[in-house]
Amino acid sequence: MDQLQIKDLEIFAYHGLFPSEKELGQKFVVSAILSYDMTKAATDLDLTASVHYGELCQQWTTWFQETTEDLIETVAYKLVERTFEAYPLVQEIQLELKKPWAPVHLPLDTCSVTIHRRKQRAFIALGSNLGDKQVNLKQAIEKMQSRGIHILKESSVLTTEPWGGVEQDSFANQVVEVETWLPAPVLLETLLAIELEMGRVREVHWGPRLIDLDLLFVEDQVLYTDDLILPHPYIAERLFVLESLQELAPHFIHPTLKQSIRNLYNALKK
């Protein structure tokens, strides 16, 4: 992908653990590589399809100086976050933040941190069977958007019978396709935080719930940890999930089963 490189932008600011760093300030140096498609900007002279690097450098300076942080990791992360927010066309960012005047008191050229993030597409299943179910789904989507998770597509809302053997009211279910630069574990933590914020209480496994947010796929990633399994292990067993998925992405290939969503849906529907 095409890349814009900005190297060694110097900014004087007041970040650091020590009181003297916050009082006296010091020099920081920012370098970054931003990846995005430059074809339209290059061929049509369309400035809206480009990143104005002069404005971006000024924005970085403003963002950098408006707060004080203890850690340069925090500063670098916030710069990446706000750059993605301000420039939706950017697909990937690698940002290095140097601290050449770090209070190490040893021969040292510089200390630096590098954060590298790229946007990914993911599919999230939503379900609710308490209260106003459709309002709950809508609120959950709004909360995702407020956290920088961009909604690309929404499936129709389905009314489905409970899955898992617990007697309870029917569910309102749907799937959304999203774009996010959050790594899969962080995306999951964000979804769990939204559930908690909305008042979900986990008392009965597969029992009634105000809101349920399941991370189904993050592109073709395959993960197996104590906290996260990708793809979601029950996708091929849940007809309502496959029905919503095939509405959005019928030709998406399940990364471990090596079959399209449409084929999985048709096989389970028989």
Side-chain angles (χ1 to χ4, degrees):
M1 186 173 288
D2 309 320
Q3 295 180 333
L4 168 66
Q5 296 190 39
I6 297 173
K7 188 173 182 180
D8 294 340
L9 171 66
E10 295 187 6
I11 304 173
F12 193 90
Y14 298 84
H15 304 290
L17 278 172
F18 298 107
S20 59
E21 295 180 289
K22 288 188 169 64
E23 293 169 5
L24 302 175
Q26 61 189 298
K27 179 175 73 174
F28 297 86
V29 182
V30 181
S31 298
I33 299 174
L34 283 65
S35 300
Y36 60 95
D37 188 348
M38 298 181 181
T39 304
K40 190 171 180 60
T43 59
D44 298 345
L45 302 181
D46 185 352
L47 294 179
T48 64
S50 182
V51 173
H52 190 313
Y53 42 82
E55 290 182 357
L56 176 60
C57 289
Q58 185 58 59
Q59 286 170 318
W60 280 347
T61 301
T62 300
W63 298 338
F64 211 99
Q65 294 176 334
E66 66 187 10
T67 61
T68 60
E69 304 290 349
D70 290 343
L71 302 178
I72 58 173
E73 292 92 334
T74 304
V75 184
Y77 187 90
K78 287 186 174 181
L79 287 180
V80 170
E81 179 179 47
R82 296 185 73 166
T83 303
F84 273 129
E85 290 174 356
Y87 298 92
L89 63 97
V90 174
Q91 297 299 306
E92 187 171 357
I93 300 175
Q94 180 172 309
L95 184 142
E96 182 185 23
L97 177 55
K98 298 177 184 177
K99 190 175 181 180
W101 298 350
V104 175
H105 307 301
L106 289 169
L108 175 73
D109 180 39
T110 189
C111 291
S112 71
V113 297
T114 299
I115 292 183
H116 187 187
R117 296 288 186 272
R118 73 176 180 88
K119 289 181 179 177
Q120 304 175 94
R121 293 198 172 194
F123 293 91
I124 299 166
L126 300 85
S128 175
N129 75 334
L130 293 175
D132 192 327
K133 305 168 191 177
Q134 298 223 17
V135 169
N136 294 338
L137 299 184
K138 183 178 179 181
Q139 184 180 2
I141 290 173
E142 290 172 350
K143 288 184 178 295
M144 282 189 256
Q145 291 174 311
S146 71
R147 287 165 169 80
I149 301 170
H150 179 51
I151 308 298
L152 299 175
K153 297 178 185 177
E154 298 180 31
S155 76
S156 305
V157 177
L158 304 176
T159 299
T160 64
E161 293 305 309
W163 192 92
V166 178
E167 186 173 341
Q168 56 190 302
D169 195 10
S170 62
F171 276 82
N173 287 107
Q174 72 177 138
V175 170
V176 294
E177 181 180 2
V178 307
E179 182 180 67
T180 178
W181 60 275
L182 299 175
V186 180
L187 178 56
L188 177 64
E189 289 176 7
T190 303
L191 298 179
L192 294 176
I194 292 173
E195 289 183 344
L196 186 62
E197 186 178 312
M198 290 183 62
R200 175 169 180 180
V201 178
R202 297 175 181 269
E203 294 179 336
V204 179
H205 188 48
W206 288 327
R209 42 213 184 268
L210 184 74
I211 190 67
D212 185 28
L213 302 174
D214 286 335
L215 186 55
L216 303 177
F217 298 111
V218 178
E219 295 194 341
D220 60 353
Q221 289 186 37
V222 178
L223 295 175
Y224 186 87
T225 70
D226 291 341
D227 300 316
L228 175 60
I229 300 175
L230 283 176
H232 192 286
Y234 298 117
I235 290 172
E237 301 174 31
R238 295 177 173 176
L239 188 63
F240 64 90
V241 171
L242 290 171
E243 183 173 350
S244 294
L245 277 170
Q246 68 90 29
E247 180 184 342
L248 300 180
H251 304 296
F252 181 82
I253 303 298
H254 192 296
T256 56
L257 300 179
K258 307 301 181 184
Q259 295 187 59
S260 71
I261 295 300
R262 174 169 288 171
N263 287 345
L264 292 172
Y265 172 69
N266 289 335
L268 192 61
K269 191 177 180 181
K270 290 179 181 178

